[in-house]
Amino acid sequence: YLGVGSEPVAAEVNGVEITEQELERRVRTYRSNLRERLGAAYNADLFEESLLRQQMLDQMINEVVQQETAVTWGLRAGDELVRESIRTNPAFQGANGFDLDTYNITLRNNGFSQAGFEEAVRQEMVQRQFVQGIESSAFLTKSELAAETRLQGQQRELEYVQIAAEDYLG
């Protein structure tokens, strides 16, 4: 009915569209990862949907900018490196190592084709290469180094009193 054939766009960065579907998939994946990591302590009510969506959208915008810069700089991830990353991914392992059925089912459940997932892995590897290159080239000025050294060498003294809660329950 509205814009037949086009998908709603959450954001556009230098001509690259981030679709609502991609954003929703990222939010779902993030929530799923939180559930796995936090286990029984996970409480969906603690994660406001609008803030989570905005955080994921901001992250996706940063990734597009980083990806564009990496391409401009000529950074690449070869086919064999991508295949090796997929083959060694713990999510796709069975009793005897890489399990093609597990791989295909996982991709299907997350809305990926094999080609689409391989491209996503390639982009992630290039982005990681870009970020690591920036991080490893960081430097400190003399005053920053002096401040860092001073802060790391600081010591604090503290005193505390432990009070039993039972003494105040009436």
Side-chain angles (χ1 to χ4, degrees), residues 58-127:
D58 290 347
Q59 183 177 337
M60 293 173 80
I61 290 169
N62 285 337
E63 289 170 3
V64 169
V65 171
Q66 290 171 354
Q67 189 69 30
E68 286 182 346
T69 305
V71 168
T72 301
W73 289 3
L75 303 178
R76 305 214 185 330
D79 293 341
E80 186 53 40
L81 193 58
V82 171
R83 282 191 290 272
E84 184 62 24
S85 175
I86 291 170
R87 275 194 302 264
T88 58
N89 187 322
F92 308 132
Q93 301 303 306
N96 298 319
F98 178 77
D99 185 350
L100 185 59
D101 289 335
T102 301
Y103 174 67
N104 287 325
I105 290 168
T106 303
L107 294 189
R108 192 170 39 252
N109 289 343
N110 288 286
F112 279 107
S113 66
Q114 282 187 0
F117 182 71
E118 289 172 10
E119 185 57 30
V121 169
R122 183 181 317 281
Q123 288 180 0
E124 181 184 326
M125 293 175 87
V126 168
Q127 181 185 4

Side-chain angles (χ1 to χ4, degrees), residues 6-13 16-21 23 57:
S6 66
E7 195 174 334
V9 176
E12 185 176 328
V13 183
V16 176
E17 293 182 345
I18 299 173
T19 65
E20 284 290 336
Q21 182 180 4
L23 178 58
L57 183 58

Side-chain angles (χ1 to χ4, degrees), residues 24-36:
E24 286 303 318
R25 179 179 18 213
R26 183 68 70 89
V27 170
R28 266 194 324 271
T29 300
Y30 185 76
R31 280 192 181 281
S32 176
N33 289 341
L34 280 175
R35 265 193 295 278
E36 283 181 31

